[in-house]
Amino acid sequence: MSERTKKSILNAQVSLFYYFIQLILGFWARKVFFEYLGSEILGLDTTASNLLGMLNLAEMGIGTSVAYFLYKPLFEEDTQTINKIVALQGWIYKRIAFVIIISAVIMMCFFPKIFAKADVPVWCPYATFSVMLYSSLLGYFINFKQIVLYADQKGYKVSKVTQGANIVFKIIVLLIMPYTDYPFFWYLGMNFLGSTFGCIWLNHILKKEYPWLSAKNIDGHKVLKEMPDVMKKTGQVFVHNVSGMIFMQVCPLLMYKFTSLTVIAYYGNYLLIVGKVSAILTMAFGSTGAAIGNLLASGDKIRINKVFWELIDSRLCISWIGLFSIYFLIQPFITIWLGEQYLLSNTILGLLILQQAINMNRTTVDSFLSGNGQFRDIWAPITEGIFLFLCAYILGSLWDIEGVLLSIIVAQSIFIGIWKPYYLFCKGLKQSWKNYFIPFTKRCILIALSFITYYLLFNMYNFSQIDTYFSWSIHALIISLIITISQYLLFQATTSGMKDFTHRIKQIITKKMNKR
């Protein structure tokens, strides 16, 4: 088993452990927060997060660019170069942080207008946003060195710190909230303390793991002159981040414009559950980025193609198992969990599933593009961002939240589903575009036929009889088993990548068993 594979497995194991804790904690927290904070505060929290995300666009993709330049010196154990690159990142980050602070102050001047529809005290948006801003600034001033752990495929150490601190302080606030007259203050206070504690703990881990890592006494400005390619790549990544910012931050704000904080909070419930599938994929494949970079550097075309389709097929299979299960089970679950009044339409659910499917399965192509350093197509994200914003505004004014979601699906289908794979295969892998689109289209047809089959089959279920967690669990077990087994067998029988993935898992299990 290669070192890259070992690190990938360790990252996945640690992430899965925290995932299941967060899964249970997330549903408990959401119910408690709805009861003691209210839907308006939760919607405010989501909107404030989106506003801060817009400011974080100033980061410009420095982290992605720095990770790209760290792969080689980490492989060669060139500590001097690593320190220089990290020093450059810190130098740039500090300047970006001051831009964010100034921009945040200006933005807060418009809060009375932005939150005019919100039924919350006037100081709540300021307090919520300020705590989020503090947590974000820690990353720019102190936590920026964690990029070395990610580039070295040791992201699991970051997960232990960030997720561990989040879990501990969230449990504290959940236990206190029912017994205090000031739940919102405790909520903000625990977020503040959790960020501070996580920052201190993370830097302790960095010092222990890389005692030689230090950005002190290194002039970042001089390093910038030595490594001009860092800023060149950063500029390209920045433009690519623009469309991502519009998708992640502006579109939710447009949803708020056409609906209300209450509907945004309800939408957040669905996003929380659907996001769990995305979290599983991130944990399982999260550390493959660095491994892909090393693989592409080897120039082994046969191996590159094999790994590419292994990642594509395994992600497609796992993601659609989760998304199909959620589609048929989420409505009765929310009814039991929170009540019928928190349900959104099946149309919104279907659009959300499609949008998340595109987003979950873009990662393999993105990772190969990043590993190749293919960021020159700066026209694409600019066009995507403009198209997405205009489409979301127009369709949102016609069909509210459904219109915004539909515009995201259309934009992502064109630029993520078509352009990016075309650019990767034709310009990066030097292959015909047909080598991707013909096999991928066949897989999409299989998925569509699977949905039709499941829809006809599960229509025989009387979901209205599900009124307790126990009855829901029984139905969930039956439905998820049917979907899991049938989807796995379908992909195993029809795709080469899933066969390779299964073979890899068998090898890993066999080697572990032999060691015992």
Side-chain angles (χ1 to χ4, degrees), residues 150-190:
Y150 282 113
D152 200 21
Q153 283 188 278
K154 294 180 180 178
Y156 64 90
K157 293 183 180 290
V158 180
S159 296
K160 286 181 178 179
V161 173
T162 55
Q163 302 234 31
N166 176 270
I167 288 169
V168 170
F169 284 91
K170 184 175 283 187
I171 289 174
I172 292 173
V173 74
L174 289 174
L175 293 175
I176 291 175
M177 197 167 282
Y179 303 101
T180 179
D181 295 329
Y182 308 100
F184 184 58
F185 289 106
W186 278 98
Y187 174 73
L188 293 180
M190 288 299 107

mmCIF file of all heavy atoms in Angstrom, residues 150-190:
data_model
loop_
_atom_site.group_PDB
_atom_site.id
_atom_site.type_symbol
_atom_site.label_atom_id
_atom_site.label_comp_id
_atom_site.label_asym_id
_atom_site.label_seq_id
_atom_site.Cartn_x
_atom_site.Cartn_y
_atom_site.Cartn_z
ATOM 1 N N TYR A 150 -2.628 20.247 5.074
ATOM 2 C CA TYR A 150 -3.468 19.800 3.965
ATOM 3 C C TYR A 150 -2.623 19.341 2.778
ATOM 4 O O TYR A 150 -2.895 18.301 2.174
ATOM 5 C CB TYR A 150 -4.411 20.926 3.522
ATOM 6 C CG TYR A 150 -5.598 21.116 4.433
ATOM 7 C CD1 TYR A 150 -5.737 22.273 5.191
ATOM 8 C CD2 TYR A 150 -6.573 20.141 4.534
ATOM 9 C CE1 TYR A 150 -6.835 22.458 6.024
ATOM 10 C CE2 TYR A 150 -7.674 20.313 5.362
ATOM 11 C CZ TYR A 150 -7.797 21.467 6.103
ATOM 12 O OH TYR A 150 -8.877 21.635 6.931
ATOM 13 N N ALA A 151 -1.610 20.127 2.431
ATOM 14 C CA ALA A 151 -0.756 19.772 1.288
ATOM 15 C C ALA A 151 0.023 18.487 1.551
ATOM 16 O O ALA A 151 0.385 17.764 0.622
ATOM 17 C CB ALA A 151 0.212 20.917 0.980
ATOM 18 N N ASP A 152 0.271 18.198 2.835
ATOM 19 C CA ASP A 152 1.016 16.998 3.218
ATOM 20 C C ASP A 152 0.087 15.813 3.486
ATOM 21 O O ASP A 152 0.503 14.814 4.077
ATOM 22 C CB ASP A 152 1.856 17.304 4.477
ATOM 23 C CG ASP A 152 2.997 16.326 4.666
ATOM 24 O OD1 ASP A 152 3.405 15.679 3.675
ATOM 25 O OD2 ASP A 152 3.499 16.198 5.802
ATOM 26 N N GLN A 153 -1.175 15.936 3.068
ATOM 27 C CA GLN A 153 -2.198 14.890 3.266
ATOM 28 C C GLN A 153 -2.396 14.542 4.744
ATOM 29 O O GLN A 153 -2.638 13.400 5.105
ATOM 30 C CB GLN A 153 -1.850 13.617 2.488
ATOM 31 C CG GLN A 153 -2.133 13.699 0.995
ATOM 32 C CD GLN A 153 -1.968 12.366 0.309
ATOM 33 O OE1 GLN A 153 -0.864 11.958 -0.031
ATOM 34 N NE2 GLN A 153 -3.069 11.673 0.090
ATOM 35 N N LYS A 154 -2.293 15.564 5.594
ATOM 36 C CA LYS A 154 -2.530 15.376 7.023
ATOM 37 C C LYS A 154 -3.693 16.240 7.489
ATOM 38 O O LYS A 154 -3.713 16.736 8.618
ATOM 39 C CB LYS A 154 -1.264 15.697 7.818
ATOM 40 C CG LYS A 154 -0.108 14.730 7.552
ATOM 41 C CD LYS A 154 1.121 15.084 8.363
ATOM 42 C CE LYS A 154 2.257 14.103 8.077
ATOM 43 N NZ LYS A 154 3.496 14.450 8.824
ATOM 44 N N GLY A 155 -4.662 16.380 6.613
ATOM 45 C CA GLY A 155 -5.835 17.179 6.958
ATOM 46 C C GLY A 155 -6.613 16.613 8.124
ATOM 47 O O GLY A 155 -7.365 17.320 8.785
ATOM 48 N N TYR A 156 -6.423 15.311 8.405
ATOM 49 C CA TYR A 156 -7.120 14.692 9.537
ATOM 50 C C TYR A 156 -6.730 15.347 10.859
ATOM 51 O O TYR A 156 -7.522 15.381 11.810
ATOM 52 C CB TYR A 156 -6.842 13.188 9.582
ATOM 53 C CG TYR A 156 -5.405 12.804 9.828
ATOM 54 C CD1 TYR A 156 -4.930 12.613 11.112
ATOM 55 C CD2 TYR A 156 -4.516 12.624 8.768
ATOM 56 C CE1 TYR A 156 -3.609 12.261 11.354
ATOM 57 C CE2 TYR A 156 -3.196 12.269 8.990
ATOM 58 C CZ TYR A 156 -2.744 12.088 10.280
ATOM 59 O OH TYR A 156 -1.435 11.750 10.507
ATOM 60 N N LYS A 157 -5.519 15.874 10.930
ATOM 61 C CA LYS A 157 -5.096 16.559 12.158
ATOM 62 C C LYS A 157 -5.862 17.870 12.336
ATOM 63 O O LYS A 157 -6.208 18.250 13.467
ATOM 64 C CB LYS A 157 -3.590 16.815 12.117
ATOM 65 C CG LYS A 157 -2.738 15.544 12.181
ATOM 66 C CD LYS A 157 -1.257 15.864 12.204
ATOM 67 C CE LYS A 157 -0.425 14.589 12.256
ATOM 68 N NZ LYS A 157 -0.529 13.898 13.550
ATOM 69 N N VAL A 158 -6.131 18.543 11.223
ATOM 70 C CA VAL A 158 -6.948 19.755 11.291
ATOM 71 C C VAL A 158 -8.376 19.401 11.690
ATOM 72 O O VAL A 158 -9.005 20.098 12.489
ATOM 73 C CB VAL A 158 -6.934 20.491 9.936
ATOM 74 C CG1 VAL A 158 -7.780 21.762 10.016
ATOM 75 C CG2 VAL A 158 -5.511 20.826 9.508
ATOM 76 N N SER A 159 -8.884 18.290 11.148
ATOM 77 C CA SER A 159 -10.248 17.850 11.486
ATOM 78 C C SER A 159 -10.388 17.584 12.983
ATOM 79 O O SER A 159 -11.399 17.935 13.595
ATOM 80 C CB SER A 159 -10.609 16.581 10.706
ATOM 81 O OG SER A 159 -10.635 16.828 9.324
ATOM 82 N N LYS A 160 -9.367 16.940 13.565
ATOM 83 C CA LYS A 160 -9.416 16.646 14.999
ATOM 84 C C LYS A 160 -9.546 17.922 15.818
ATOM 85 O O LYS A 160 -10.269 17.964 16.820
ATOM 86 C CB LYS A 160 -8.159 15.888 15.425
ATOM 87 C CG LYS A 160 -8.111 14.439 14.981
ATOM 88 C CD LYS A 160 -6.842 13.765 15.471
ATOM 89 C CE LYS A 160 -6.802 12.295 15.079
ATOM 90 N NZ LYS A 160 -5.552 11.629 15.540
ATOM 91 N N VAL A 161 -8.841 18.959 15.375
ATOM 92 C CA VAL A 161 -8.853 20.214 16.125
ATOM 93 C C VAL A 161 -10.156 20.985 15.896
ATOM 94 O O VAL A 161 -10.877 21.308 16.843
ATOM 95 C CB VAL A 161 -7.653 21.093 15.723
ATOM 96 C CG1 VAL A 161 -7.756 22.471 16.362
ATOM 97 C CG2 VAL A 161 -6.348 20.425 16.126
ATOM 98 N N THR A 162 -10.436 21.284 14.637
ATOM 99 C CA THR A 162 -11.585 22.136 14.330
ATOM 100 C C THR A 162 -12.911 21.462 14.698
ATOM 101 O O THR A 162 -13.772 22.073 15.339
ATOM 102 C CB THR A 162 -11.588 22.511 12.842
ATOM 103 O OG1 THR A 162 -11.551 21.312 12.050
ATOM 104 C CG2 THR A 162 -10.363 23.347 12.496
ATOM 105 N N GLN A 163 -13.060 20.202 14.296
ATOM 106 C CA GLN A 163 -14.305 19.496 14.597
ATOM 107 C C GLN A 163 -14.406 19.161 16.066
ATOM 108 O O GLN A 163 -15.486 19.217 16.664
ATOM 109 C CB GLN A 163 -14.391 18.214 13.755
ATOM 110 C CG GLN A 163 -14.312 18.469 12.271
ATOM 111 C CD GLN A 163 -15.493 17.861 11.539
ATOM 112 O OE1 GLN A 163 -16.586 17.760 12.078
ATOM 113 N NE2 GLN A 163 -15.252 17.472 10.313
ATOM 114 N N GLY A 164 -13.275 18.803 16.680
ATOM 115 C CA GLY A 164 -13.283 18.487 18.107
ATOM 116 C C GLY A 164 -13.708 19.676 18.944
ATOM 117 O O GLY A 164 -14.566 19.558 19.840
ATOM 118 N N ALA A 165 -13.133 20.851 18.660
ATOM 119 C CA ALA A 165 -13.492 22.061 19.400
ATOM 120 C C ALA A 165 -14.953 22.428 19.156
ATOM 121 O O ALA A 165 -15.682 22.805 20.080
ATOM 122 C CB ALA A 165 -12.587 23.218 18.984
ATOM 123 N N ASN A 166 -15.387 22.293 17.904
ATOM 124 C CA ASN A 166 -16.769 22.618 17.561
ATOM 125 C C ASN A 166 -17.750 21.737 18.315
ATOM 126 O O ASN A 166 -18.765 22.217 18.845
ATOM 127 C CB ASN A 166 -16.962 22.461 16.049
ATOM 128 C CG ASN A 166 -18.401 22.695 15.618
ATOM 129 O OD1 ASN A 166 -19.206 21.777 15.576
ATOM 130 N ND2 ASN A 166 -18.704 23.932 15.296
ATOM 131 N N ILE A 167 -17.447 20.452 18.405
ATOM 132 C CA ILE A 167 -18.334 19.502 19.092
ATOM 133 C C ILE A 167 -18.434 19.817 20.580
ATOM 134 O O ILE A 167 -19.523 19.878 21.152
ATOM 135 C CB ILE A 167 -17.827 18.062 18.878
ATOM 136 C CG1 ILE A 167 -18.083 17.624 17.427
ATOM 137 C CG2 ILE A 167 -18.509 17.094 19.846
ATOM 138 C CD1 ILE A 167 -17.387 16.334 17.050
ATOM 139 N N VAL A 168 -17.293 20.035 21.217
ATOM 140 C CA VAL A 168 -17.268 20.285 22.664
ATOM 141 C C VAL A 168 -18.066 21.530 23.022
ATOM 142 O O VAL A 168 -18.938 21.512 23.918
ATOM 143 C CB VAL A 168 -15.811 20.418 23.165
ATOM 144 C CG1 VAL A 168 -15.798 20.927 24.610
ATOM 145 C CG2 VAL A 168 -15.097 19.085 23.071
ATOM 146 N N PHE A 169 -17.814 22.632 22.319
ATOM 147 C CA PHE A 169 -18.471 23.890 22.679
ATOM 148 C C PHE A 169 -19.942 23.902 22.249
ATOM 149 O O PHE A 169 -20.761 24.560 22.890
ATOM 150 C CB PHE A 169 -17.706 25.069 22.069
ATOM 151 C CG PHE A 169 -16.438 25.393 22.807
ATOM 152 C CD1 PHE A 169 -15.239 24.814 22.452
ATOM 153 C CD2 PHE A 169 -16.459 26.259 23.886
ATOM 154 C CE1 PHE A 169 -14.066 25.095 23.142
ATOM 155 C CE2 PHE A 169 -15.299 26.554 24.597
ATOM 156 C CZ PHE A 169 -14.096 25.963 24.222
ATOM 157 N N LYS A 170 -20.275 23.160 21.204
ATOM 158 C CA LYS A 170 -21.682 23.081 20.812
ATOM 159 C C LYS A 170 -22.476 22.296 21.847
ATOM 160 O O LYS A 170 -23.617 22.663 22.178
ATOM 161 C CB LYS A 170 -21.815 22.437 19.430
ATOM 162 C CG LYS A 170 -23.259 22.413 18.912
ATOM 163 C CD LYS A 170 -23.333 21.877 17.494
ATOM 164 C CE LYS A 170 -22.889 22.914 16.505
ATOM 165 N NZ LYS A 170 -23.111 22.476 15.088
ATOM 166 N N ILE A 171 -21.902 21.221 22.364
ATOM 167 C CA ILE A 171 -22.577 20.437 23.400
ATOM 168 C C ILE A 171 -22.808 21.293 24.640
ATOM 169 O O ILE A 171 -23.877 21.241 25.267
ATOM 170 C CB ILE A 171 -21.763 19.177 23.748
ATOM 171 C CG1 ILE A 171 -21.824 18.167 22.593
ATOM 172 C CG2 ILE A 171 -22.295 18.523 25.026
ATOM 173 C CD1 ILE A 171 -20.941 16.960 22.793
ATOM 174 N N ILE A 172 -21.811 22.086 25.001
ATOM 175 C CA ILE A 172 -21.937 22.959 26.173
ATOM 176 C C ILE A 172 -23.122 23.908 26.015
ATOM 177 O O ILE A 172 -23.961 24.060 26.912
ATOM 178 C CB ILE A 172 -20.635 23.752 26.408
ATOM 179 C CG1 ILE A 172 -19.505 22.816 26.839
ATOM 180 C CG2 ILE A 172 -20.854 24.835 27.468
ATOM 181 C CD1 ILE A 172 -18.154 23.479 26.924
ATOM 182 N N VAL A 173 -23.200 24.568 24.840
ATOM 183 C CA VAL A 173 -24.272 25.543 24.646
ATOM 184 C C VAL A 173 -25.638 24.862 24.561
ATOM 185 O O VAL A 173 -26.652 25.409 25.032
ATOM 186 C CB VAL A 173 -24.002 26.399 23.389
ATOM 187 C CG1 VAL A 173 -24.258 25.627 22.103
ATOM 188 C CG2 VAL A 173 -24.848 27.668 23.400
ATOM 189 N N LEU A 174 -25.688 23.645 24.005
ATOM 190 C CA LEU A 174 -26.958 22.929 23.923
ATOM 191 C C LEU A 174 -27.463 22.526 25.304
ATOM 192 O O LEU A 174 -28.678 22.525 25.556
ATOM 193 C CB LEU A 174 -26.805 21.686 23.043
ATOM 194 C CG LEU A 174 -26.641 21.922 21.543
ATOM 195 C CD1 LEU A 174 -26.348 20.617 20.820
ATOM 196 C CD2 LEU A 174 -27.886 22.585 20.962
ATOM 197 N N LEU A 175 -26.545 22.192 26.200
ATOM 198 C CA LEU A 175 -26.932 21.815 27.558
ATOM 199 C C LEU A 175 -27.360 23.027 28.385
ATOM 200 O O LEU A 175 -28.235 22.928 29.251
ATOM 201 C CB LEU A 175 -25.767 21.091 28.246
ATOM 202 C CG LEU A 175 -25.394 19.717 27.673
ATOM 203 C CD1 LEU A 175 -24.141 19.185 28.366
ATOM 204 C CD2 LEU A 175 -26.553 18.734 27.821
ATOM 205 N N ILE A 176 -26.749 24.165 28.110
ATOM 206 C CA ILE A 176 -27.043 25.375 28.884
ATOM 207 C C ILE A 176 -28.308 26.073 28.388
ATOM 208 O O ILE A 176 -29.093 26.619 29.179
ATOM 209 C CB ILE A 176 -25.843 26.352 28.816
ATOM 210 C CG1 ILE A 176 -24.653 25.774 29.586
ATOM 211 C CG2 ILE A 176 -26.221 27.727 29.379
ATOM 212 C CD1 ILE A 176 -23.391 26.597 29.475
ATOM 213 N N MET A 177 -28.543 26.054 27.072
ATOM 214 C CA MET A 177 -29.590 26.861 26.445
ATOM 215 C C MET A 177 -30.979 26.696 27.084
ATOM 216 O O MET A 177 -31.690 27.691 27.291
ATOM 217 C CB MET A 177 -29.635 26.552 24.946
ATOM 218 C CG MET A 177 -30.376 27.585 24.127
ATOM 219 S SD MET A 177 -30.089 27.403 22.346
ATOM 220 C CE MET A 177 -28.468 28.139 22.189
ATOM 221 N N PRO A 178 -31.429 25.480 27.424
ATOM 222 C CA PRO A 178 -32.773 25.354 28.020
ATOM 223 C C PRO A 178 -32.905 25.990 29.400
ATOM 224 O O PRO A 178 -34.017 26.208 29.884
ATOM 225 C CB PRO A 178 -32.981 23.836 28.113
ATOM 226 C CG PRO A 178 -32.036 23.248 27.121
ATOM 227 C CD PRO A 178 -30.843 24.152 27.150
ATOM 228 N N TYR A 179 -31.775 26.295 30.049
ATOM 229 C CA TYR A 179 -31.812 26.782 31.437
ATOM 230 C C TYR A 179 -31.394 28.244 31.586
ATOM 231 O O TYR A 179 -31.208 28.725 32.695
ATOM 232 C CB TYR A 179 -30.910 25.908 32.318
ATOM 233 C CG TYR A 179 -31.282 24.447 32.275
ATOM 234 C CD1 TYR A 179 -30.565 23.561 31.490
ATOM 235 C CD2 TYR A 179 -32.372 23.952 33.001
ATOM 236 C CE1 TYR A 179 -30.903 22.215 31.435
ATOM 237 C CE2 TYR A 179 -32.725 22.624 32.951
ATOM 238 C CZ TYR A 179 -31.989 21.752 32.169
ATOM 239 O OH TYR A 179 -32.333 20.418 32.108
ATOM 240 N N THR A 180 -31.212 28.938 30.464
ATOM 241 C CA THR A 180 -30.783 30.325 30.558
ATOM 242 C C THR A 180 -31.830 31.252 29.942
ATOM 243 O O THR A 180 -32.570 30.866 29.036
ATOM 244 C CB THR A 180 -29.435 30.536 29.832
ATOM 245 O OG1 THR A 180 -29.054 31.911 29.918
ATOM 246 C CG2 THR A 180 -29.532 30.137 28.368
ATOM 247 N N ASP A 181 -31.863 32.460 30.445
ATOM 248 C CA ASP A 181 -32.760 33.470 29.890
ATOM 249 C C ASP A 181 -32.132 34.198 28.705
ATOM 250 O O ASP A 181 -32.786 35.023 28.068
ATOM 251 C CB ASP A 181 -33.128 34.499 30.970
ATOM 252 C CG ASP A 181 -33.946 33.878 32.092
ATOM 253 O OD1 ASP A 181 -34.704 32.926 31.800
ATOM 254 O OD2 ASP A 181 -33.815 34.329 33.246
ATOM 255 N N TYR A 182 -30.860 33.902 28.442
ATOM 256 C CA TYR A 182 -30.138 34.592 27.368
ATOM 257 C C TYR A 182 -29.481 33.580 26.425
ATOM 258 O O TYR A 182 -28.249 33.532 26.303
ATOM 259 C CB TYR A 182 -29.077 35.531 27.952
ATOM 260 C CG TYR A 182 -29.622 36.473 28.993
ATOM 261 C CD1 TYR A 182 -29.458 36.207 30.357
ATOM 262 C CD2 TYR A 182 -30.327 37.614 28.623
ATOM 263 C CE1 TYR A 182 -29.972 37.066 31.313
ATOM 264 C CE2 TYR A 182 -30.842 38.476 29.572
ATOM 265 C CZ TYR A 182 -30.655 38.193 30.906
ATOM 266 O OH TYR A 182 -31.167 39.051 31.853
ATOM 267 N N PRO A 183 -30.268 32.761 25.730
ATOM 268 C CA PRO A 183 -29.697 31.703 24.871
ATOM 269 C C PRO A 183 -28.845 32.254 23.729
ATOM 270 O O PRO A 183 -27.839 31.647 23.343
ATOM 271 C CB PRO A 183 -30.927 30.963 24.339
ATOM 272 C CG PRO A 183 -32.049 31.933 24.469
ATOM 273 C CD PRO A 183 -31.745 32.746 25.684
ATOM 274 N N PHE A 184 -29.244 33.408 23.177
ATOM 275 C CA PHE A 184 -28.504 33.963 22.046
ATOM 276 C C PHE A 184 -27.094 34.386 22.460
ATOM 277 O O PHE A 184 -26.128 34.191 21.717
ATOM 278 C CB PHE A 184 -29.275 35.152 21.458
ATOM 279 C CG PHE A 184 -28.637 35.735 20.229
ATOM 280 C CD1 PHE A 184 -28.415 34.946 19.102
ATOM 281 C CD2 PHE A 184 -28.258 37.068 20.192
ATOM 282 C CE1 PHE A 184 -27.829 35.481 17.959
ATOM 283 C CE2 PHE A 184 -27.676 37.611 19.058
ATOM 284 C CZ PHE A 184 -27.460 36.817 17.941
ATOM 285 N N PHE A 185 -26.965 34.951 23.676
ATOM 286 C CA PHE A 185 -25.644 35.353 24.164
ATOM 287 C C PHE A 185 -24.741 34.135 24.361
ATOM 288 O O PHE A 185 -23.546 34.167 24.052
ATOM 289 C CB PHE A 185 -25.769 36.149 25.471
ATOM 290 C CG PHE A 185 -26.342 37.528 25.284
ATOM 291 C CD1 PHE A 185 -27.638 37.813 25.676
ATOM 292 C CD2 PHE A 185 -25.584 38.529 24.702
ATOM 293 C CE1 PHE A 185 -28.173 39.076 25.494
ATOM 294 C CE2 PHE A 185 -26.101 39.807 24.520
ATOM 295 C CZ PHE A 185 -27.403 40.077 24.909
ATOM 296 N N TRP A 186 -25.309 33.073 24.902
ATOM 297 C CA TRP A 186 -24.529 31.843 25.084
ATOM 298 C C TRP A 186 -24.118 31.261 23.733
ATOM 299 O O TRP A 186 -22.999 30.749 23.573
ATOM 300 C CB TRP A 186 -25.346 30.817 25.884
ATOM 301 C CG TRP A 186 -25.283 31.049 27.353
ATOM 302 C CD1 TRP A 186 -26.208 31.687 28.123
ATOM 303 C CD2 TRP A 186 -24.223 30.668 28.232
ATOM 304 N NE1 TRP A 186 -25.798 31.730 29.434
ATOM 305 C CE2 TRP A 186 -24.586 31.096 29.534
ATOM 306 C CE3 TRP A 186 -23.017 29.995 28.059
ATOM 307 C CZ2 TRP A 186 -23.777 30.887 30.635
ATOM 308 C CZ3 TRP A 186 -22.208 29.779 29.161
ATOM 309 C CH2 TRP A 186 -22.583 30.219 30.432
ATOM 310 N N TYR A 187 -25.019 31.335 22.773
ATOM 311 C CA TYR A 187 -24.740 30.825 21.425
ATOM 312 C C TYR A 187 -23.542 31.561 20.817
ATOM 313 O O TYR A 187 -22.597 30.940 20.304
ATOM 314 C CB TYR A 187 -25.986 31.009 20.563
ATOM 315 C CG TYR A 187 -25.812 30.661 19.110
ATOM 316 C CD1 TYR A 187 -25.698 29.341 18.702
ATOM 317 C CD2 TYR A 187 -25.768 31.664 18.137
ATOM 318 C CE1 TYR A 187 -25.550 29.016 17.355
ATOM 319 C CE2 TYR A 187 -25.622 31.353 16.798
ATOM 320 C CZ TYR A 187 -25.506 30.027 16.415
ATOM 321 O OH TYR A 187 -25.348 29.727 15.090
ATOM 322 N N LEU A 188 -23.569 32.881 20.887
ATOM 323 C CA LEU A 188 -22.464 33.669 20.338
ATOM 324 C C LEU A 188 -21.188 33.453 21.145
ATOM 325 O O LEU A 188 -20.087 33.331 20.581
ATOM 326 C CB LEU A 188 -22.830 35.161 20.331
ATOM 327 C CG LEU A 188 -23.953 35.593 19.383
ATOM 328 C CD1 LEU A 188 -24.180 37.099 19.506
ATOM 329 C CD2 LEU A 188 -23.610 35.240 17.944
ATOM 330 N N GLY A 189 -21.308 33.398 22.454
ATOM 331 C CA GLY A 189 -20.141 33.239 23.322
ATOM 332 C C GLY A 189 -19.411 31.930 23.097
ATOM 333 O O GLY A 189 -18.179 31.880 23.030
ATOM 334 N N MET A 190 -20.175 30.845 22.941
ATOM 335 C CA MET A 190 -19.549 29.545 22.705
ATOM 336 C C MET A 190 -18.890 29.486 21.329
ATOM 337 O O MET A 190 -17.840 28.860 21.162
ATOM 338 C CB MET A 190 -20.583 28.432 22.839
ATOM 339 C CG MET A 190 -21.040 28.163 24.269
ATOM 340 S SD MET A 190 -19.682 27.637 25.375
ATOM 341 C CE MET A 190 -19.474 29.139 26.349
#
